[in-house]
Amino acid sequence: MFYTSTRDKSIKVTAAQAIAQGISEEGGLFVPCELPQFNLEKVSSMVNMSYIDRAKTVLKEFLTDFSEEELNYCVEGAYAAAKFSSAKIAPTVNIDGNKNILELWHGPTCAFKDMALQLLPYLMTVSAKKTADGKTIVILVATSGDTGKAALEGFKDVENTKILVFYPVDGVSPMQKLQMTTQEGGNVAVCAINGNFDDAQSAVKSIFTNAEIKEELAKKNMMFSSANSINWGRLVPQIVYYFSTYCDMIEMGKINAGDEINVVVPTGNFGNILAGYYAKQMGLPIKKLICASNSNNVLTDFLKTGTYNKNRDFYTTTSPSMDILISSNLERLLYHMSGEDDKLVADLMNKLVTDGKYTVSDELIAEIQTMFDAGYTNEDRVDETIKSHFDKYKYLCDTHTAVAVKVYDEYVKTTGDDIPSVIDSTASPYKFSASVLKAVLNGEIPEIDEFEMVRELNRVTGADVPAPLASLKDKTVRFTDVCNKEDMSRMVFKLLEL
């Protein structure tokens, strides 16, 4: 299988090249030239498989330049039982009737990013040997909270790699910040920026395509790559868990093979829901992909109107991983659904840079709306949803999952479409203890530190505290740097000690 760029479809690269490089030279994102097809028989054959075997079944269709031995090494290393608190890796939990929760946070950093970022270092190592042997890969990451820690943990002390993570100084939860600033490893570095996630992400993309910076790195036998979902190696593992949850629902007796399901995803950068789109296009019986936004509802507005406009107020919410106004992966969807019109995509992305907005044709947005629906939830309703679900079902969800649950409930109420559905749960509630505790107690929380907050949430709800979060209490803060977004290029060289 070959991959091309969303902004220049004359480009053809292998999976290893796409993963090692991260982003195309002209700034486009790598996408598969064609998608493998999974018929009902093939999907049914995966029902009795382990998560590891399901992953191999899907991934081998995309990583055709990886040998069977290489693929086994990657997948078995990534999803080793010791790394995940659930034997199912990503279990599906039935809440009530047709409402099911896909728990994607049982990995070492307690967020859905682990599902991809435990695998990416293995994919990157194999890819680099095939395409960039001898070079040190510099992983450059912008994070709104979860990607940073998951990438740091995944790439910690991986040979021939260095990883630099930038996060918005006031845009992550205390637990997320502590996870990153205490990170162990000799090849890791972390820096806060004065700005929001979009500022960090835009600067990272600019650094990636800066010829002078790349030339300086090349002199040191280094090259950039990405662990953000702009990297195909970050996105392709996410396709797996949509096939896996469908198989789980068959196994649970919630559906029969061939039945349609709806999928609801809380997302800011669009990667997680885009993986569901790829699964649907491959043959998985998904009826609607429902995009759930928080108060930063730029995606909802686009999916409803066809106009993408980042020129709006930015809100710092209790679901910070979705506090994003520039959704990188939407570019991939526009490429596929416009009939692979790379010139159109390049033009739209240029308009986003120059004007901060663009509008697609009526025909294109109508086509997108046949597959996608969307809704958003403000902060008060997030709290209400966390409390009502805990009171009614004794199920404790984090703030991001609550956004999706509320959007799903509103979707069913509005459309009457209550077929069996899967809601992505993207983080442990303990990553956002203060917000979740405040919701459960209806606004009355004691003035205590983050770890006492964790203990109090456990006392009030009885929900298990993930071991990786409990162990943070005694770790030493290693990284305290803060820079302006304009100084990120210089900070890259400082962190690399160049």
Side-chain angles (χ1 to χ4, degrees):
M1 177 179 286
F2 288 94
Y3 294 79
T4 189
S5 168
T6 51
R7 302 186 198 179
D8 181 1
K9 65 181 180 183
S10 69
I11 289 170
K12 293 285 186 294
V13 299
T14 63
Q17 287 172 297
I19 291 166
Q21 195 172 324
I23 190 169
S24 190
E25 292 286 347
E26 81 296 337
L29 306 185
F30 289 117
V31 291
C33 293
E34 58 184 353
L35 287 173
Q37 294 301 300
F38 278 55
N39 60 26
L40 192 55
E41 184 180 354
K42 191 164 186 176
V43 173
S44 299
S45 73
M46 298 167 65
V47 171
N48 295 321
M49 293 183 184
S50 66
Y51 191 88
I52 285 177
D53 287 335
R54 290 171 183 172
K56 289 178 184 177
T57 302
V58 173
L59 293 172
K60 71 181 180 183
E61 303 292 341
F62 289 98
L63 308 175
T64 54
D65 52 334
F66 282 53
S67 69
E68 185 177 352
E69 291 73 23
E70 288 169 336
L71 186 64
N72 289 345
Y73 160 76
C74 292
V75 175
E76 290 169 12
Y79 301 119
K83 295 182 178 182
F84 287 80
S85 62
S86 169
K88 297 282 288 184
I89 307 299
T92 304
V93 179
N94 179 255
I95 298 301
D96 180 48
N98 285 334
K99 183 187 289 187
N100 301 275
I101 304 283
L102 172 58
E103 294 183 345
L104 297 169
W105 42 262
H106 288 277
T109 76
C110 307
F112 84 101
K113 306 296 174 74
D114 288 327
M115 300 302 299
L117 282 165
Q118 282 301 300
L119 182 61
L120 182 60
Y122 290 92
L123 298 179
M124 188 77 74
T125 302
V126 172
S127 296
K129 284 179 181 175
K130 292 175 181 292
T131 64
D133 201 16
K135 283 192 171 70
T136 295
I137 307 290
V138 178
I139 309 295
L140 195 57
V141 177
T143 185
S144 53
D146 287 333
T147 290
K149 172 58 181 178
L152 289 162
E153 189 64 28
F155 281 94
K156 176 183 68 178
D157 292 327
V158 171
E159 191 178 359
N160 296 325
T161 68
K162 292 181 181 291
I163 177 164
L164 315 179
V165 170
F166 292 90
Y167 70 93
V169 66
D170 296 318
V172 299
S173 78
M175 189 65 80
Q176 287 174 315
K177 180 178 180 179
L178 200 57
Q179 281 186 300
M180 289 187 282
T181 56
T182 60
Q183 178 64 48
E184 298 166 348
N187 65 334
V188 307
V190 178
C191 181
I193 72 152
N194 293 311
N196 58 39
F197 169 77
D198 292 321
D199 296 325
Q201 178 80 311
S202 296
V204 162
K205 283 186 175 179
S206 176
I207 292 167
F208 266 125
T209 53
N210 186 304
E212 291 180 14
I213 296 175
K214 288 195 292 185
E215 190 176 329
E216 285 301 310
L217 256 64
K219 290 176 185 175
K220 303 293 184 181
N221 205 30
M222 294 178 173
M223 63 177 281
F224 280 132
S225 192
S226 171
N228 284 94
S229 57
I230 56 175
N231 190 319
W232 178 251
R234 243 293 299 279
L235 191 54
V236 69
Q238 296 179 268
I239 298 171
V240 174
Y241 52 69
Y242 290 105
F243 280 90
S244 186
T245 193
Y246 190 85
C247 291
D248 283 350
M249 288 177 70
I250 295 173
E251 209 172 19
M252 293 159 64
K254 297 299 174 185
I255 58 172
N256 295 313
D259 288 352
E260 287 189 319
I261 64 169
N262 288 328
V263 171
V264 191
V265 186
T267 185
N269 213 11
F270 209 73
N272 199 1
I273 197 166
L274 183 68
Y277 163 81
Y278 282 126
K280 176 178 171 65
Q281 295 302 94
M282 291 164 65
L284 196 67
I286 296 173
K287 180 182 177 185
K288 279 283 186 181
L289 292 150
I290 302 162
C291 176
S293 302
N294 62 16
S295 299
N296 295 296
N297 59 337
V298 63
L299 279 171
T300 300
D301 283 352
F302 170 74
L303 291 169
K304 294 289 189 185
T305 69
T307 294
Y308 192 102
N309 187 351
K310 75 177 183 70
N311 302 318
R312 60 178 66 211
D313 290 337
F314 177 87
Y315 299 100
T316 300
T317 74
T318 57
S319 46
S321 297
M322 297 159 65
D323 290 347
I324 296 170
L325 295 181
I326 304 174
S327 303
S328 299
N329 275 291
L330 188 58
E331 178 173 342
R332 284 183 164 115
L333 181 74
L334 292 171
Y335 175 80
H336 292 301
M337 298 207 69
S338 66
E340 302 178 354
D341 190 339
D342 54 349
K343 301 295 185 292
L344 171 67
V345 172
D347 180 57
L348 294 176
M349 294 307 108
N350 285 334
K351 284 180 180 174
L352 188 61
V353 172
T354 57
D355 304 332
K357 62 182 180 179
Y358 60 78
T359 299
V360 302
S361 69
D362 291 346
E363 293 78 15
L364 179 51
I365 193 60
E367 184 67 18
I368 290 171
Q369 287 168 347
T370 63
M371 297 191 188
F372 290 85
D373 206 304
Y376 77 97
T377 304
N378 64 29
E379 290 294 273
D380 289 344
R381 291 186 173 183
V382 171
D383 290 352
E384 288 172 9
T385 303
I386 291 171
K387 180 168 175 53
S388 65
H389 259 64
F390 181 71
D391 289 348
K392 188 173 182 180
Y393 305 117
K394 292 299 176 223
Y395 188 86
L396 190 65
C397 58
D398 88 297
T399 47
H400 304 75
T401 307
V403 168
V405 168
K406 184 61 178 176
V407 167
Y408 169 73
D409 288 344
E410 290 296 319
Y411 171 82
V412 172
K413 190 185 298 182
T414 302
T415 65
D417 181 16
D418 63 347
I419 66 170
S421 299
V422 171
I423 301 168
D424 283 10
S425 179
T426 54
S428 162
Y430 285 100
K431 292 197 78 165
F432 309 94
S433 295
S435 298
V436 175
L437 184 62
K438 179 172 176 280
V440 172
L441 295 180
N442 208 21
E444 301 172 10
I445 60 170
E447 292 186 16
I448 51 179
D449 71 23
E450 185 72 10
F451 290 100
E452 288 174 334
M453 201 76 74
V454 166
R455 284 194 291 273
E456 183 65 8
L457 184 58
N458 172 253
R459 186 189 69 77
V460 170
T461 67
D464 291 339
V465 181
L469 298 183
S471 67
L472 279 175
K473 189 176 189 306
D474 301 318
K475 288 196 173 182
T476 302
V477 171
R478 295 182 62 201
F479 303 105
T480 57
D481 282 326
V482 182
C483 73
N484 293 324
K485 59 184 179 182
E486 297 83 6
D487 299 324
M488 280 175 59
S489 297
R490 284 192 291 273
M491 184 56 73
V492 165
F493 287 106
K494 178 186 173 184
L495 297 176
L496 290 174
E497 299 178 349
L498 296 178

